[in-house]
């Protein structure tokens, strides 16, 4: 039995860092740091409308999701070759390994690249090569989730799925991202049905900026296994009860939510309420290069701002990240045991 009450608050920052965890909501294009954007722009001869790294970073003052997406797509325009996708992903895995991430399910947006004439092969082969290297060299179990851009049509999503099928074994599932308002999940009902038939896992962004009804239709129409963000579920108590009862995980991204003004400040974030309601909530970085930090920065920020969160919640969030992952049971069992050991030792050291 882990003695959570024995672990003092002063031990939390180090524990949050060193506990093993899975990251389930990270857009790989959102890990492109300004320095790498400039390096790749130069390598590929792509013009940028920002004069310097500092000028680009200064533009990261977002007012909502769309104001972020405009800059995020501009940043991704420097990615052209398989090597670029490899370099970007491996740089993320090095940071993830330092944060004690043992398993990562990376989102990628093929349409952001194929629309610019980049072959889907360069995207998927570059990223999956990085996943293999992350496993061999860093011990991270890494997989890919292909996201459809919801501001585009379902027909375009079908065309993307068709292009990706020769690489079917390189990704474990599909997701839905980009501009949420005005693009409800049901717009993608048929393509998600096809993906389920193909045996792919299915997830969707819902209830970040969009209403609880979008969470409901992601569950009922798309039949998703996890909700990405989902923080607006609290506006519907019956929906919260359903998410708890059906153990539908929410991949929450605290720094993203504050940067995109979903919450005015971290102190107002509803993560403690989600956990109190018994939801399978997890902590993730979304777009770490744009929102002020990687997964451990997210843990640090949310625990720092919310005194209701303590050692028990830290353990629960890491445990939820394994439970919610698409890894096999043998891996999950190993990670759960490593997590318990970390907390057992912290409890004993404090006694
Ligand atoms: N929401 C929707 N689409 C996205 C996001 C996000 O937070 N990040 C990258 N694409
Ligand atoms: Zn996201």
């Amino acid at each position: 039995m882990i003695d959570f009450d024995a672990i003092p608050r002063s031990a939390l920052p180090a524990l949050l860092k060193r506990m093993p965890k899975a990251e389930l909501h990270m857009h790989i294009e959102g890990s492109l740091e300004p320095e790498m954007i400039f390096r790749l722009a130069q390598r590929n001869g792509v013009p940028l409308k920002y004069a310097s790294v500092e000028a680009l970073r200064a533009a990261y003052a977002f007012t909502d999701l769309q104001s972020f997406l405009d800059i995020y797509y501009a940043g991704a325009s420097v990615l052209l070759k398989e090597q670029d996708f490899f370099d970007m992903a491996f740089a993320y895995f090095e940071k993830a390994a330092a944060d004690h991430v043992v398993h990562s399910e990376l989102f990628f947006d093929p349409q952001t690249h194929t629309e610019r004439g980049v072959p889907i092969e360069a995207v998927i082969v570059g990223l999956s090569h990085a996943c293999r290297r992350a496993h061999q060299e860093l011990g991270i179990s890494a997989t890919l989730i292909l996201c459809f851009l919801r501001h585009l049509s379902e027909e375009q999503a079908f065309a993307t799925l068709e292009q990706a099928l020769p690489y079917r074994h390189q990704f474990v599932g599909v997701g839905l991202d980009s501009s949420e308002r005005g693009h409800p999940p049901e717009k993608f009902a048929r393509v998600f049905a096809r993906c389920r038939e193909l045996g792919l896992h299915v997830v969707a962004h819902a209830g970040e900026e969009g209403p609880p009804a979008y969470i409901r239709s992601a569950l009922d129409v798309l039949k998703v296994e996890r909700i990405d963000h989902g923080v607006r579920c609290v506006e519907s108590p019956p929906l919260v009860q359903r998410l708890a009862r059906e153990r539908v995980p929410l991949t929450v991204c605290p720094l993203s939510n504050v940067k995109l003004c979903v919450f005015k400040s971290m102190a107002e974030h509803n993560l403690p309420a989600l956990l109190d309601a018994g939801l399978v909530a997890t902590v993730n970085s979304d777009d770490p290069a744009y929102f002020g930090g990687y997964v451990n920065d997210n843990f640090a920020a949310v625990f720092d701002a919310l005194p209701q969160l303590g050692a028990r919640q830290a353990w629960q969030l890491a445990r939820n990240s394994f439970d919610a992952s698409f890894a096999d049971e043998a891996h999950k069992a190993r990670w759960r045991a490593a997590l318990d050991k970390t907390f057992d030792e912290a409890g004993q050291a404090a006694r």
Side-chain angles (χ1 to χ4, degrees), residues 25 27 65 68-69 72-73 109 177-179 205 208 229 256 260 286-287 291:
H25 185 162
H27 304 262
L65 176 57
F68 153 69
L69 289 170
Y72 163 82
Y73 294 131
D109 288 341
D177 65 2
S178 187
S179 323
H205 283 53
E208 176 187 18
H229 293 295
S256 165
L260 300 187
D286 209 6
D287 299 281
F291 298 150

Side-chain angles (χ1 to χ4, degrees), residues 97-292:
D99 279 357
H100 298 270
V101 170
V102 296
H103 175 73
S104 178
E105 297 178 6
L106 295 190
F107 290 143
F108 69 107
D109 288 341
Q111 290 161 300
T112 300
H113 314 299
T114 52
E115 278 204 320
R116 297 179 290 112
V118 175
I120 201 165
E121 180 188 10
V123 181
I124 300 184
V125 172
L127 295 177
S128 52
H129 182 196
C131 290
R132 276 198 309 281
R133 279 279 284 279
H135 190 239
Q136 288 160 0
E137 294 181 16
L138 305 169
I140 295 182
S141 142
T143 56
L144 299 172
I145 295 178
L146 182 158
C147 284
F148 300 116
L149 299 180
R150 68 202 302 159
H151 67 272
L152 300 179
S153 68
E154 185 178 46
E155 198 184 349
Q156 287 166 298
F158 264 117
T160 301
L161 178 62
E162 203 57 45
Q163 289 169 26
L165 281 185
Y167 311 96
R168 160 70 186 85
H169 51 288
Q170 324 250 28
F171 54 98
V172 297
V174 298
L176 188 63
D177 65 2
S178 187
S179 323
E180 187 181 4
R181 286 199 191 112
H183 302 285
E186 47 271 36
K187 181 176 161 187
F188 296 91
R190 289 169 315 157
V191 74
F192 268 66
R194 177 75 190 120
C195 290
R196 294 197 312 273
E197 271 170 23
L198 289 165
L200 289 158
H201 287 291
V202 289
V203 299
H205 283 53
E208 176 187 18
E209 281 192 344
Y214 283 21
I215 300 176
R216 238 176 269 119
S217 60
L219 295 171
D220 293 335
V221 181
L222 303 186
K223 305 193 191 308
V224 298
E225 297 159 80
R226 299 195 296 246
I227 297 286
D228 296 311
H229 293 295
V231 290
R232 286 193 59 192
C233 70
V234 295
E235 294 167 33
S236 167
L239 177 60
V240 171
Q241 284 165 18
R242 174 182 178 185
L243 291 167
R245 190 174 61 245
E246 296 179 7
R247 285 190 58 75
V248 179
L250 303 187
T251 61
V252 178
C253 306
L255 285 171
S256 165
N257 291 155
V258 175
K259 278 277 182 190
L260 300 187
C261 309
V262 173
F263 296 97
K264 283 202 204 79
S265 68
M266 196 60 88
E268 290 169 59
H269 200 285
N270 66 8
L271 182 64
L274 300 175
L275 289 173
D276 284 348
L279 300 187
V280 186
T282 64
V283 166
N284 308 269
S285 66
D286 209 6
D287 299 281
Y290 292 90
F291 298 150

